[in-house]
Amino acid sequence: MRRTLLALAGIASVTLAACSPGNPDSGSSASGGGAGRLTIGTTADVVNYNPLLGNSRTDTWVTNLMYPRLMSMDLEGKRTPYLATRWEYADGGRTAKVTLRDDFTWSDGTKVTADDVIFTIDAVAKEKIGIVAGLIPSYTGATAVSPTEIEFHLSQPDGTFLENVGFWMPVVPKHVFEKAPSVQKFANDANWVSAGPYKLESAERGQRYVLKRVDSYPLVEGGKPAVEEVVFRVFPDVNTEALALRNGEIDLIANVVPPALAKTLDGNDKIKTVKVPSLGWAHMQYNTQRKPLDRLEVRQALAAAVDYEAIRRVALQGSAVTSNSSVLTPTLKQWQDTSAKEYTYDTARAKQLLTGAGYRDGDGDGLFDGLSFRMIFDQADPNIAKWAQLVRDSAKQAGVDIKLEGLERNTYVAKYQERDYDIYAGSWAIMDNPPANLALAFKCKGFINYANACDPELDKLIDQARAQLDQADQKPLIQQAAKMISDKVYDNVLYVEEFTIAHSAQWSNFLVQPSELLSIVNPQSLAQAKKG
Amino acid sequence: MTVTRAHESPGRLTWQAFRRNPLGPSAVAVLLLMGVVALCAPLIADYPSGYGEQVLAPPGGGHWFGTDDLGRDVFAQVVWGTRVSIVVGLAASALAIVAGVVVGVAAAYFRRADAALGVVVDLSLSLPVLPLMILVAALAGPSVPTLVVVIAAFSWPEVARVVRSQGLAVVPMPYVSASHALGGSHLWIIRRHVLPGVAPVVAVSVVLTTSRAVLAEAGLSFLGLGDPDSWSWGTILHNAQRSGSLATAWWTTLFPSLAILLLVVSATLVAVAYNDASDPRTR
């Protein structure tokens, strides 16, 4: 049925092309063998069309194609130009200057200017919208020096400001969003205005989201995206997505393909897989506010009772690399501390540490008395649910009882927000700027401080690093902080995943960017992708 | 059809009829075999834990049912899963039966309570069971006791209804009225006359509720609400679905599904055969 419809559509377009000889485009697209449409599979609907609110993957994939950011990112997490061409600090770090491109236009013809950027950041700061608001505490205001030059004013020197705003904040069209009484409450669910490469045309919940290319997208060769139409189709899960990719119903799976499934796709010559480095890491955090996890020996023993190598080799099927138990992962080459060393898997040493800490196995059941921990994780996460079992089984050999609590997503979120666990197992998607991220994740009362760590010395190091304006000056301080986090086992980093993204072998010329949010579904990639 | 021998007790007649139908005894044999597997799991296979080097290996010499995405033996998982599935099934059905019989008998015997209890039962029967089970299991956190309580909490109304209708037939019997006239207490009458009267339907209910509870357990575990620290058939299916091997590694789903099918079909056959055997018209 579908094929018949497509064939009919083909005939119709040929007929139309014949009737309108003045349009050279329609003829060329028909001869292009239907390269006009790229269909992408996803497992969720778009919840927020407002890019400043969106936080799910599908939200980001779709809105990224309409709202540019100041900066993009290369494979090592370094910022690259996008809407901005230059950026620097001035005035001892109290001013941040950004120069914009002058050739970006919104799809309704209005130019993208400094006013749009300032409108967006002011709205974010004033209404405290989303994650960006938390990343720019030092922002006080901005001035448009010219339509392409902006000066941001900061309350104190903050060496993380430009990178955070540059990568995390999508720029929205002022002339559209200012009509709403509140930017935060603006649903933006119709009549979209986009700065490309694509513009949402129609959305059917649970079915598909159709985006058409814009007339002008200066970042791609020829000034116009190669593909006419990008369609996101919604599937129940990754198994059905894989079937659809095999059958040729879709051209690309936006979601990460689990390692076991990736292996079976590798053998298929109609399908290509792409490796995408993660900007985050998978880890366990021990709740240091709970006894006996407040004791360093106990945390060290737990860290020694994890078979790191087996987790990467078996549970992740080799699609993960070690981070040497450091929060400065090998993806972020410019931050990495090459002297870092991974915790050693040694159950005998774990037992020794616990015996030294005064624990005994009085009842002879092979487990230390009074050492039982609850570990929570999201049961829907295929990798974590797998390695959680390995962690439990290897801990048992060290005489430690770990009870797994694989929770339904909402319960899991509620529990970790209340810090209601002994051990937290999870993963970060994007930790792209260590000075900013470590502050959120390890400072006393940090927003995502899941170890409940509170170490004045560590806080001081992180604050000092943040105040430096130069990455080179931040680096030694951040490396020192990372070493302290590793030594005191505030975070047990297990691995950095290498994501597998699968697409049809008919398509090529994608651009790989790090993390599952960008992967090959990033704007630049979809603008330059080609069929054949 | 058969010649009724008046001197034999109804129980004996039922048993003889049951034995004549080949489906009944063979289904009982399957159930017994599953019971033995559950009891003797440690003798049959090692507890599946840790990991193996052969990931997603198809069924073969080393692994009869193949291996899962962590290289663990699926046969061992099915064997140990039998234990949890049956324990959850039996425990949930025991709870449901007790609650159902108490409510059902009370409704049949105490006529004034009937209307109120009837409303409660009807209300419970009209609830959307699966979404509620999911909600409760998600809120209470995954564990074997949670599953047992959740499944029982949503299974008793059916038992209550069946028991009540049978009880309504027993309570007006002359011998019950006679017991009243002789001054027998309510409790004594219920124990002596009503309960034995409803016993046959309870027996059938036990089997059917257990098989339904096993199915419910598998369903909840498949949805990820099972106990991650124990193996059940639903958990094996859930692991297969989550790891993305559902479509490619058929052995991870076929064998636990077969086990579920076998148990449910056997239980149903036993119930049907018993029902036919105990009814003089179909004996």
Side-chain angles (χ1 to χ4, degrees):
Chain A
M1 181 64 188
R2 230 183 106 72
R3 272 201 198 124
T4 328
L5 281 178
L6 283 177
L8 282 176
I11 293 166
S13 70
V14 169
T15 326
L16 280 177
C19 293
S20 54
N23 186 351
D25 265 8
S26 45
S28 67
S29 74
S31 64
R37 179 187 295 145
L38 175 69
T39 311
I40 302 174
T42 175
T43 52
D45 271 298
V46 177
V47 180
N48 288 304
Y49 294 99
N50 184 337
L52 298 169
L53 304 179
N55 53 10
S56 85
R57 294 186 183 96
T58 309
D59 288 2
T60 312
W61 290 327
V62 171
T63 57
N64 262 354
L65 298 177
M66 301 205 281
Y67 305 98
R69 291 160 196 261
L70 293 175
M71 301 170 199
S72 188
M73 200 184 264
D74 70 7
L75 271 178
E76 293 173 5
K78 266 200 190 136
R79 301 301 192 266
T80 55
Y82 188 174
L83 187 56
T85 53
R86 286 176 45 134
W87 50 89
E88 65 193 347
Y89 291 100
D91 199 10
R94 288 180 181 274
T95 306
K97 291 183 172 177
V98 171
T99 312
L100 306 181
R101 295 179 72 104
D102 60 0
D103 50 2
F104 257 81
T105 359
W106 297 107
S107 53
D108 58 3
T110 318
K111 280 255 171 212
V112 180
T113 65
D115 285 343
D116 293 312
V117 179
I118 294 173
F119 169 78
T120 310
I121 192 170
D122 278 341
V124 166
K126 202 174 109 209
E127 299 182 34
K128 299 234 174 299
I129 305 174
I131 185 161
V132 184
L135 289 169
I136 52 167
S138 46
Y139 174 76
T140 54
T143 334
V145 180
S146 77
T148 57
E149 285 172 292
I150 309 164
E151 280 184 14
F152 297 101
H153 311 299
L154 308 179
S155 58
Q156 60 185 42
D158 181 354
T160 63
F161 176 81
L162 277 173
E163 292 213 342
N164 280 336
V165 166
F167 176 69
W168 285 100
M169 189 182 77
V171 177
V172 298
K174 179 183 178 195
H175 61 285
V176 178
F177 279 59
E178 73 183 351
K179 290 185 190 135
S182 147
V183 172
Q184 183 154 29
K185 291 195 182 124
F186 183 45
N188 189 36
D189 53 2
N191 304 324
W192 294 278
V193 172
S194 155
Y198 296 93
K199 178 165 99 71
L200 203 52
E201 289 289 330
S202 67
E204 291 168 62
R205 271 196 78 73
Q207 299 288 323
R208 58 175 57 77
Y209 296 84
V210 181
L211 295 106
K212 290 248 160 60
R213 73 174 163 202
V214 296
D215 295 330
S216 150
Y217 188 66
L219 291 180
V220 76
E221 220 179 297
K224 205 170 178 181
V227 190
E228 265 176 46
E229 196 174 88
V230 169
V231 178
F232 282 83
R233 270 187 61 193
V234 185
F235 287 85
D237 73 345
V238 73
N239 291 295
T240 41
E241 282 179 308
L243 281 177
L245 180 65
R246 280 205 180 93
N247 298 340
E249 281 175 51
I250 56 173
D251 303 307
L252 169 71
I253 301 178
N255 306 81
V256 171
V257 181
L261 184 56
K263 256 196 157 177
T264 66
L265 292 178
D266 272 340
N268 189 328
D269 57 3
K270 284 189 185 149
I271 293 168
K272 277 210 169 114
T273 54
V274 182
K275 291 277 178 211
V276 176
S278 166
L279 281 174
W281 62 78
H283 62 156
M284 287 188 287
Q285 289 196 279
Y286 308 114
N287 191 343
T288 58
Q289 298 296 316
R290 290 210 178 173
K291 283 185 190 316
L293 290 167
D294 54 341
R295 298 180 65 176
L296 179 59
E297 305 95 300
V298 176
R299 298 201 298 271
Q300 283 171 332
L302 283 170
V306 180
D307 191 345
Y308 301 94
E309 215 266 323
I311 287 177
R312 290 188 289 265
R313 184 166 46 88
V314 182
L316 272 292
Q317 288 291 294
S319 43
V321 292
T322 174
S323 184
N324 295 315
S325 300
S326 168
V327 291
L328 303 175
T329 66
T331 309
L332 304 175
K333 294 254 173 350
Q334 72 272 33
W335 296 99
Q336 195 189 4
D337 180 358
T338 44
S339 67
K341 265 211 150 107
E342 185 160 65
Y343 303 125
T344 325
Y345 171 48
D346 184 349
T347 48
R349 188 178 128 71
K351 280 187 171 167
Q352 210 182 339
L353 278 163
L354 291 172
T355 313
Y359 289 97
R360 297 283 174 272
D361 177 15
D363 52 10
D365 61 354
L367 297 172
F368 286 99
D369 303 337
L371 272 189
S372 178
F373 301 107
R374 281 170 48 227
M375 177 157 108
I376 66 159
F377 58 96
D378 177 2
Q379 58 82 22
D381 186 308
N383 292 331
I384 297 178
K386 261 161 95 176
W387 59 252
Q389 302 176 54
L390 295 187
V391 166
R392 173 196 60 201
D393 294 344
S394 62
K396 200 171 175 192
Q397 291 181 3
V400 180
D401 180 35
I402 293 182
K403 291 227 179 322
L404 298 189
E405 280 191 21
L407 301 168
E408 176 274 330
R409 175 98 199 146
N410 294 308
T411 326
Y412 167 72
V413 171
K415 289 227 175 186
Y416 76 61
Q417 280 175 349
E418 287 163 25
R419 308 288 192 262
D420 179 11
Y421 50 80
D422 298 320
I423 306 174
Y424 161 88
S427 63
W428 297 128
I430 300 191
M431 294 295 238
D432 56 312
N433 183 301
N437 304 139
L438 296 193
L440 289 177
F442 296 102
K443 276 181 69 172
C444 289
K445 310 249 179 267
F447 180 55
I448 50 172
N449 184 346
Y450 295 154
N452 267 333
C454 195
D455 189 329
E457 251 183 280
L458 182 61
D459 286 12
K460 210 171 117 194
L461 275 174
I462 296 173
D463 284 340
Q464 282 173 349
R466 280 185 70 119
Q468 307 299 321
L469 302 177
D470 221 13
Q471 196 267 340
D473 299 330
Q474 294 175 336
K475 186 171 171 177
L477 293 162
I478 281 301
Q479 287 190 341
Q480 236 178 306
K483 186 164 177 356
M484 187 181 284
I485 291 166
S486 170
D487 287 347
K488 300 209 168 167
V489 204
Y490 290 137
D491 199 351
N492 188 355
V493 183
L494 301 173
Y495 60 83
V496 176
E497 190 171 353
E498 273 183 335
F499 300 121
T500 305
I501 301 288
H503 66 83
S504 150
Q506 292 182 321
W507 288 85
S508 61
N509 208 30
F510 291 109
L511 175 81
V512 184
Q513 289 187 350
S515 99
E516 50 187 320
L517 286 182
L518 299 174
S519 70
I520 59 171
V521 196
N522 64 75
Q524 184 70 35
S525 171
L526 295 185
Q528 68 182 45
K530 285 197 179 90
K531 192 169 189 176
Chain B
M1 249 186 275
T2 50
V3 184
T4 313
R5 282 147 291 183
H7 58 278
E8 293 200 48
S9 74
R12 213 178 147 71
L13 286 174
T14 302
W15 173 233
Q16 279 171 353
F18 187 79
R19 271 195 317 187
R20 269 198 305 281
N21 184 349
L23 283 178
S26 46
V28 168
V30 171
L31 289 184
L32 283 178
L33 181 73
M34 288 198 158
V36 170
V37 168
L39 281 176
C40 307
L43 301 176
I44 301 171
D46 290 333
Y47 186 79
S49 72
Y51 61 90
E53 296 301 330
Q54 286 175 286
V55 170
L56 291 176
H63 303 282
W64 294 356
F65 290 1
T67 61
D68 74 353
D69 57 325
L70 277 174
R72 294 169 298 196
D73 190 30
V74 176
F75 176 72
Q77 295 175 19
V78 173
V79 166
W80 283 85
T82 311
R83 190 174 259 202
V84 173
S85 292
I86 288 185
V87 163
V88 171
L90 283 177
S93 111
L95 272 183
I97 294 286
V98 169
V101 167
V102 167
V103 173
V105 166
Y109 187 82
F110 302 106
R111 302 298 303 151
R112 279 187 203 165
D114 189 24
L117 289 174
V119 168
V120 173
V121 170
D122 284 345
L123 210 66
S124 312
L125 278 174
S126 63
L127 290 176
V129 173
L130 187 64
L132 276 175
M133 275 197 196
I134 294 173
L135 184 71
V136 175
L139 291 178
S143 74
V144 169
T146 309
L147 282 177
V148 169
V149 172
V150 167
I151 296 171
F154 291 100
S155 310
W156 68 266
E158 289 175 33
V159 182
R161 178 162 262 201
V162 176
V163 168
R164 173 182 168 275
S165 56
Q166 179 70 18
L168 283 181
V170 173
V171 172
M173 288 282 178
Y175 59 87
V176 178
S177 314
S179 310
H180 275 300
L182 287 172
S185 76
H186 291 313
L187 209 62
W188 183 82
I189 294 172
I190 287 175
R191 223 173 43 220
R192 191 78 187 84
H193 294 305
V194 182
L195 279 183
V198 300
V201 296
V202 172
V204 173
S205 288
V206 168
V207 180
L208 287 181
T209 313
T210 306
S211 78
R212 237 179 269 144
V214 169
L215 265 186
E217 191 277 337
L220 288 177
S221 297
F222 177 68
L223 294 174
L225 299 161
D227 184 351
D229 281 325
S230 65
W231 288 102
S232 80
W233 296 330
T235 310
I236 308 174
L237 291 173
H238 173 61
N239 283 343
Q241 192 265 346
R242 189 176 52 194
S243 67
S245 48
L246 197 62
T248 49
W250 52 268
W251 53 92
T252 53
T253 46
L254 177 71
F255 295 108
S257 310
L258 275 185
I260 296 170
L261 182 76
L262 212 58
L263 183 128
V264 174
V265 168
S266 310
T268 313
L269 285 180
V270 168
V272 169
Y274 175 81
N275 226 1
D276 287 353
S278 65
D279 188 340
R281 284 166 299 184
T282 52
R283 207 178 264 161

